Amino acid sequence: MRAIVVGAGIGGLAATLSLRRAGCEVTLVEQAPRFTEIGAGIQLAPNATRVLRRLGLLDAVAARSVRPSRLSFRTWSDGGEICHYALGREAEDAFGAPYLQAHRADLHEALAAAVPPGSVRLNSVAVAIDQDDDSATVTTAAGERLEADLVVAADGVRSSARRWLFGPDEALFSGTAAYRALLPAERVADLDLPEYALWLGPGRHFVHYRVRRGELLNVVGVVGTDAARESWTARAEPEEQLRAFEGWDPRVRSLLGRTGTVLRYGIHTRAPLARWNLGRVTLLGDSAHAMVPFHAQGAAQALVDAAVLGDCLADTGPADVPEALDRYVGRRLTAATRVQAGSARAGEDYHLPDGPEADARNARLAAQAAENRFGPHAGAWGTDTFDERAS
């Protein structure tokens, strides 16, 4: 079985590794000329780390990560704790895999290192995907035509493949933008910060947690806004982040004042699709279900996509690829769409104005924590999303 994966982000790399485990010969096509360190913190819930374990990469990623013991929800003005959810050993015992917080580049590096260099075609821009009953073809900007039995399009929130398969369909601005920064953890050691906290306030929220063995603090402030450019590398204006969080708890303000370079980007999503596949071609990850990051499940859902795809292609012949892709989408579409919607609702909930609505939300969060010590978002962490028999 021959497969082509378009896009070498987290989803594309994981798909490549999962398809190789399933016995496929895989060519990975990536438009960038080289792999570079990009991004900041990323959260890997048990559904994500279970996939990493299957791929033989969990130990490598965990060695450069942090295992938080809990998530603390805080009020914006005085930092009072609304509730907390258990993570750490409790989550690992309950879900069979750890909860990790990592630098995105460390995860990407671990995935990329496991892919044989000869399978990767860097600096190759896919400009078309075609197919017939027997094969699928990717055409690159250099005029190459790469043929395989199936094509997996993991080309991100701005997916061209999605448009080629299903027609015009643009990324949607979520109405929120994020300030993000990484700074040495020792720089804020005097601030008495919770290890992992989510501070809720009117029209915005703020998150911080440690990555890279605890050496770095990842900082993300999300604000409601009318427009924002989508870019991982656009710098905020000097002290723009301080103005955005005027009046917040002094610890938040002090932290923001010590961040140095702060990047600002608009958060974009994609509308849910009724299907992700057509014939011998399928979408995976953000190209299929890009979501706001408020349940920290974007990368996790791409990793689970990859694991299920590998399951569905194992022991499948070339003639049966369309049916196998139907099974993959059948197992993943509803679950991923549910997580996508839940994450969007969380963003609305986090930004409620002070007063009765925020008071009711805080009471609800506390009640949910009392009922389920891992919180309602842990519904996506279950063990039934893919078959671990070969793990």
Side-chain angles (χ1 to χ4, degrees):
M1 181 85 76
R2 298 165 302 153
I4 298 171
V5 176
V6 179
I10 289 169
L13 288 167
T16 298
L17 295 173
S18 291
L19 289 170
R20 283 176 55 82
R21 286 185 80 254
C24 296
E25 176 187 312
V26 187
T27 300
L28 177 59
V29 176
E30 165 57 37
Q31 64 181 354
R34 61 188 179 278
F35 293 138
T36 57
E37 181 167 310
I38 193 169
I42 189 170
Q43 303 198 51
L44 300 170
N47 57 336
T49 56
R50 201 175 298 117
V51 177
L52 295 178
R53 183 173 60 207
R54 163 187 273 206
L55 297 176
L57 300 176
L58 179 55
D59 289 346
V61 175
R64 293 178 62 82
S65 301
V66 170
R67 300 187 185 212
S69 63
R70 56 190 264 172
L71 162 60
S72 177
F73 281 81
R74 302 273 172 151
T75 55
W76 69 279
S77 56
D78 62 7
E81 186 172 77
I82 300 166
C83 68
H84 66 268
Y85 297 149
L87 298 173
R89 176 59 64 182
E90 287 186 76
E92 184 169 359
D93 289 344
F95 295 96
Y99 193 110
L100 301 178
Q101 292 169 328
H103 194 300
R104 179 179 289 268
D106 293 340
L107 172 62
H108 191 272
E109 180 182 334
L111 290 164
V115 176
S119 299
V120 183
R121 302 176 72 93
L122 295 172
N123 204 26
S124 295
V125 179
V127 296
I129 297 175
D130 302 294
Q131 61 177 313
D132 56 29
D133 290 343
D134 300 317
S135 65
T137 304
V138 172
T139 303
T140 71
E144 293 180 285
R145 288 177 55 82
L146 308 175
E147 186 176 297
D149 300 301
L150 72 147
V151 172
V152 180
D155 54 341
V157 65
R158 297 288 184 184
S159 172
S160 296
R162 178 168 167 144
R163 183 175 65 253
W164 299 333
L165 288 176
F166 302 115
D169 173 22
E170 297 301 321
L172 305 173
F173 177 55
S174 68
T176 56
Y179 296 95
R180 65 180 180 90
L182 282 169
L183 65 157
E186 61 184 17
R187 191 182 296 172
V188 294
D190 62 309
L191 293 183
D192 189 30
L193 294 167
E195 62 171 336
Y196 171 26
L198 200 163
W199 310 63
L200 308 182
R204 60 209 64 216
H205 71 274
F206 184 77
V207 183
H208 58 79
Y209 55 88
R210 294 191 179 200
V211 300
R212 196 161 280 172
R213 298 180 296 269
E215 299 163 7
L216 299 175
L217 188 72
N218 184 67
V219 176
V220 183
V222 178
V223 300
T225 183
D226 292 334
R229 174 177 150 210
E230 186 209 355
S231 171
W232 280 94
T233 57
R235 292 194 177 193
E237 297 175 6
E239 299 192 346
E240 182 181 345
Q241 76 279 11
L242 283 169
R243 294 193 297 273
F245 289 87
E246 182 71 38
W248 279 52
D249 183 285
R251 288 171 290 178
V252 171
R253 300 270 302 161
S254 294
L255 195 167
L256 285 170
R258 304 180 194 186
T259 50
T261 299
V262 176
L263 304 181
R264 185 182 191 274
Y265 66 97
I267 299 172
H268 288 71
T269 66
R270 299 304 295 253
L273 288 170
R275 62 181 301 154
W276 301 343
N277 63 311
L278 188 64
R280 295 177 172 273
V281 183
T282 190
L283 305 177
L284 181 144
D286 280 353
S287 66
H289 48 69
M291 59 189 71
V292 291
F294 308 143
H295 271 177
Q297 274 288 308
Q301 292 298 304
L303 287 166
V304 176
D305 286 351
V308 173
L309 180 67
D311 275 355
C312 293
L313 268 296
D315 302 320
T316 297
D320 300 321
V321 164
E323 181 182 348
L325 295 183
D326 282 342
R327 290 198 302 272
Y328 153 67
V329 174
R331 287 173 56 181
R332 287 296 300 139
L333 188 147
T334 299
T337 301
R338 186 184 304 119
V339 173
Q340 188 182 33
S343 192
R345 288 194 301 271
E348 296 171 0
D349 210 32
Y350 294 167
H351 292 189
L352 291 173
D354 282 344
E357 288 182 288
D359 292 343
R361 174 203 62 208
N362 294 350
R364 184 175 67 253
L365 288 172
Q368 290 171 338
E371 180 180 349
N372 179 351
R373 66 187 186 280
F374 305 111
H377 57 289
W381 302 354
T383 59
D384 60 347
T385 48
F386 65 89
D387 184 355
E388 283 198 284
R389 287 173 299 178
S391 295

